[in-house]
């Protein structure tokens, strides 16, 4: 698949932030066991941007990703996603916020008892304005788009690791989310499968106009990013350099 050129990566094509983090702190535990895991995080991610977040294990990358994704409530500071403040948000507000997101993780998290088509259709079940027939059609079309049109009725145990991750990508993108959050999506894949997966993510995100925040240790895929941010000991060590 074709990757973006440096001219495509010009900062001018990103015109407004969809994720805005200001002075964000986060803690795990209570009282004497309380530990700060994020410290004074400041980061804007603009519409259409592909941002890769790197850093050593335990540096807080996944914690920040889950806060942005509304998978847990931010505690201190400001975290606005698509204009909605998530710091201190209620469980109901976080549920609504998650409807705008697609999630891709290292473990594909497919249901082994469901076919590829049924797994992808799960990505539409919170969107009640589509009929069952429309969900079926959209899911099949997305699997076709990721190169699995001949695997619609295969179960995960009958798919390779790369194919499973393609199903996970299809599930994440079938509802055309505004934001895609990916945590180590290539960690369990070989070099070729990993490259295929991130190229596919990049191409589909560009076609759909969504924003990607991707956590990785995989230096082989950094070239898909518009910007790379680094985290260490719960702090961002750089956050404003666009790739040239």
């Amino acid at each position: 698949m074709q990757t973006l050129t440096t001219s495509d990566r010009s900062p001018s094509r990103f015109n407004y932030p969809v994720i805005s983090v200001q002075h964000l702190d986060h803690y795990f535990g209570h009282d004497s066991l309380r530990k700060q895991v994020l410290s004074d995080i400041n980061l804007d991610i603009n519409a259409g941007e592909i941002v890769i977040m790197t850093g050593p294990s335990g540096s807080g990358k996944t914690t920040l990703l889950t806060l942005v994704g509304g998978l847990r409530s931010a505690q201190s500071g400001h975290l606005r996603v698509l204009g909605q403040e998530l710091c201190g948000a209620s469980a109901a507000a976080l549920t609504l916020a998650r409807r705008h997101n697609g999630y891709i993780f290292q473990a594909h998290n497919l249901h082994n008892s469901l076919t590829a088509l049924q797994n992808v259709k799960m990505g539409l079940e919170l969107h009640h304005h589509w009929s069952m027939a429309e969900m079926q059609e959209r899911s099949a079309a997305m699997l076709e788009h990721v190169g699995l049109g001949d695997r619609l009725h295969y179960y995960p145990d009958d798919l390779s690791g790369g194919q499973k991750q393609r199903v996970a990508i299809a599930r994440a993108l079938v509802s055309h989310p505004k934001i895609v959050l990916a945590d180590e999506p290539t960690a369990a894949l070989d070099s070729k499968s990993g490259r295929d997966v991130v190229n596919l993510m990049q191409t589909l995100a560009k076609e759909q106009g969504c924003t990607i925040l991707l956590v990785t240790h995989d230096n082989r895929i950094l070239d898909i990013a518009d910007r790379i941010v680094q985290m260490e000991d719960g702090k961002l060590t750089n956050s404003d350099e666009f790739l040239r």
Side-chain angles (χ1 to χ4, degrees), residues 68-211:
V68 170
L71 299 175
R72 54 164 59 104
S73 180
Q75 297 166 342
S76 174
H78 293 285
L79 172 56
R80 295 183 182 89
V81 178
L82 299 171
Q84 180 179 352
E85 178 62 64
L86 298 187
C87 190
S90 66
L94 292 177
T95 297
L96 289 174
R98 289 195 293 268
R99 294 185 180 184
H100 299 293
N101 302 334
Y103 302 92
I104 305 168
F105 300 103
Q106 175 180 344
H108 47 76
N109 293 334
L110 301 180
H111 288 262
N112 286 329
S113 62
L114 301 179
T115 65
L117 182 64
Q118 291 168 332
N119 269 286
V120 173
K121 194 166 65 173
M122 288 185 66
L124 295 172
E125 288 184 350
L126 291 177
H127 301 269
H128 303 299
H129 53 284
W130 286 313
S131 68
M132 289 298 295
E134 288 172 325
M135 288 194 289
Q136 190 95 350
E137 183 179 351
R138 289 177 68 94
S139 300
M142 182 56 71
L143 282 167
E144 180 75 36
H145 209 37
V146 301
L148 294 176
D150 59 345
R151 298 289 192 273
L152 300 185
H153 304 296
Y154 280 54
Y155 289 90
D157 286 346
D158 299 320
L159 300 174
S160 69
Q163 288 172 334
K164 291 175 186 177
Q165 202 63 308
R166 284 172 177 261
V167 176
I169 291 172
R171 180 181 59 192
L173 292 173
V174 68
S175 66
H176 286 218
K178 295 181 174 66
I179 297 170
V180 171
L181 303 167
D183 192 1
E184 300 285 3
T186 65
L189 302 177
D190 60 44
S191 178
K192 182 181 184 306
S193 296
R195 168 53 62 179
D196 289 345
V197 161
V198 294
N199 284 351
L200 184 61
M201 288 174 60
Q202 180 190 44
T203 299
L204 292 178
K206 185 179 179 185
E207 290 174 359
Q208 295 188 6
C210 67
T211 301

Side-chain angles (χ1 to χ4, degrees), residues 11-33:
S12 63
R13 74 184 176 93
F14 310 124
N15 51 15
Y16 64 94
V18 295
I19 299 168
S20 183
V21 186
Q22 298 174 350
H23 305 296
L24 181 69
D25 297 329
H26 197 74
Y27 302 83
F28 288 156
H30 301 281
D31 301 326
S32 62
L33 298 178

